[in-house]
Amino acid sequence: MMTNDTIRKLNELKLFGMVHAFSQQIESAVAGHLSFEERVGLMVDHEVTYRDEKRLRRLLTNAKLREPACMEDIDYEAKRGLDRSVMASLALCNWIRHGVNVIVTGATGLGKTWIACALGNQACRHGMTVKFERVPLLLEELAIAHSDGTFRKRIAAIGKHDLLILDDLGINTLTAERRADLLEVVESRSGTKATVVTSQLPVRRWHDYLADGNPTVADAIMDRVVSDSYRIDLVGESLRPKRRRSANS
């Protein structure tokens, strides 16, 4: 009776990890040989683990990463120009804490989005908030936000994430309005929040793409995104045929 009452109270306190650990100890003969301090310690550890896993699930769900990627699964055998030491440094996530950007460029099929999602996954595992956005869709949504009066609210929300992933910069033509919206996005994060940008265009071609007759806006975007950023320039052949073979084997 006392056991049921204890479980009920733990549930009311939302100590669900401790409920599970408490039930396990009751059912396990091994737990009877542990000291009181050890048993309480195990219950507390179980609660911490439960909360950490719950938080990670929530962060990953909210991030909406396009690929189920993680740093441990990065393929260094493919000759893409990836530097292990750079990736190991990025895995520490200090660049996110300091609001530094990462730019991943390369031809289609080299894994730009996958690497960006791996960095996003790592950030979630460090307890940081992440948001994945494809640039073309984001700019469409911001255009609608102008119409319904939610633009400022949307920009403010974008500026709050610890890490923003902007995927596929450069695949669509920018109108003057969308170029200005992109500037608002990067301005909302400049100097305080980190952004990962992926693009098939090499950085040397970004200014021409972003300018289109308005170099002032292009200069502003380049200054906020490219300055003092980590650069990952992928080279080589597409990995997609290799992935298809692996999936079919």
Side-chain angles (χ1 to χ4, degrees):
M1 190 68 179
M2 183 177 292
T3 296
N4 292 337
D5 194 45
T6 299
I7 291 175
R8 178 183 59 78
K9 290 177 180 177
L10 288 172
N11 278 316
E12 288 176 354
L13 292 170
K14 298 183 179 180
L15 297 173
F16 304 120
M18 292 188 72
V19 170
H20 185 254
F22 181 65
S23 300
Q24 280 187 328
Q25 288 189 20
I26 292 174
E27 297 170 1
S28 173
V30 177
H33 299 289
L34 300 176
S35 67
F36 174 78
E37 292 83 359
E38 289 172 329
R39 296 183 71 163
V40 172
L42 286 173
M43 290 173 60
V44 172
D45 288 345
H46 208 98
E47 180 64 30
V48 170
T49 299
Y50 171 83
R51 294 192 178 198
D52 287 345
E53 291 176 349
K54 182 180 180 181
R55 179 180 61 177
L56 178 57
R57 288 193 300 271
R58 174 178 54 80
L59 289 171
L60 288 172
T61 297
N62 292 338
K64 296 182 179 179
L65 299 174
R66 184 174 176 181
E67 300 282 353
C70 62
M71 300 295 287
E72 294 86 352
D73 291 339
I74 291 178
D75 183 0
Y76 292 102
E77 293 183 6
K79 304 302 181 182
R80 293 184 289 169
L82 277 177
D83 188 315
R84 285 180 181 268
S85 62
V86 170
M87 300 308 295
S89 176
L90 292 176
L92 300 176
C93 294
N94 290 326
W95 57 282
I96 302 176
R97 298 181 181 94
H98 295 136
V100 178
N101 299 328
V102 173
I103 298 172
V104 188
T105 59
T108 184
L110 290 177
K112 299 182 297 298
T113 300
W114 199 97
I115 290 173
C117 289
L119 293 171
N121 176 282
Q122 188 73 2
C124 289
R125 288 157 69 175
H126 279 252
M128 301 174 179
T129 58
V130 178
K131 188 65 174 177
F132 179 95
E133 298 279 6
R134 289 194 67 246
V135 173
L137 294 180
L138 174 61
L139 294 179
E140 284 184 14
E141 292 170 1
L142 291 176
I144 296 171
H146 279 292
S147 302
D148 63 21
T150 61
F151 180 77
R152 283 294 145 202
K153 182 178 180 181
R154 186 82 163 87
I155 291 295
I158 289 172
K160 291 180 180 179
H161 300 295
D162 294 318
L163 176 63
L164 174 67
I165 300 174
L166 294 176
D167 191 41
D168 279 338
L169 175 71
I171 67 170
N172 62 321
T173 302
L174 293 179
T175 62
E177 291 77 12
R178 294 192 177 189
R179 191 178 302 110
D181 287 350
L182 182 59
L183 175 58
E184 289 296 325
V185 169
V186 298
E187 173 63 28
S188 72
R189 308 181 56 75
S190 180
T192 58
K193 300 291 186 179
T195 303
V196 174
V197 182
T198 76
S199 178
Q200 293 185 35
L201 294 177
V203 173
R204 67 178 182 275
R205 293 177 54 191
W206 283 19
H207 192 276
D208 290 341
Y209 167 73
L210 294 168
D212 192 26
N214 190 342
T216 302
V217 174
D219 289 342
I221 295 174
M222 293 288 289
D223 178 65
R224 289 158 176 75
V225 175
V226 179
S227 298
D228 300 321
S229 62
Y230 284 95
R231 300 270 291 275
I232 301 174
D233 302 315
L234 300 178
V235 297
E237 298 179 355
S238 173
L239 299 182
R240 286 174 182 166
K242 179 181 178 181
R243 291 173 182 168
R244 282 196 292 269
R245 289 194 298 268
S246 299
N248 294 330
S249 62

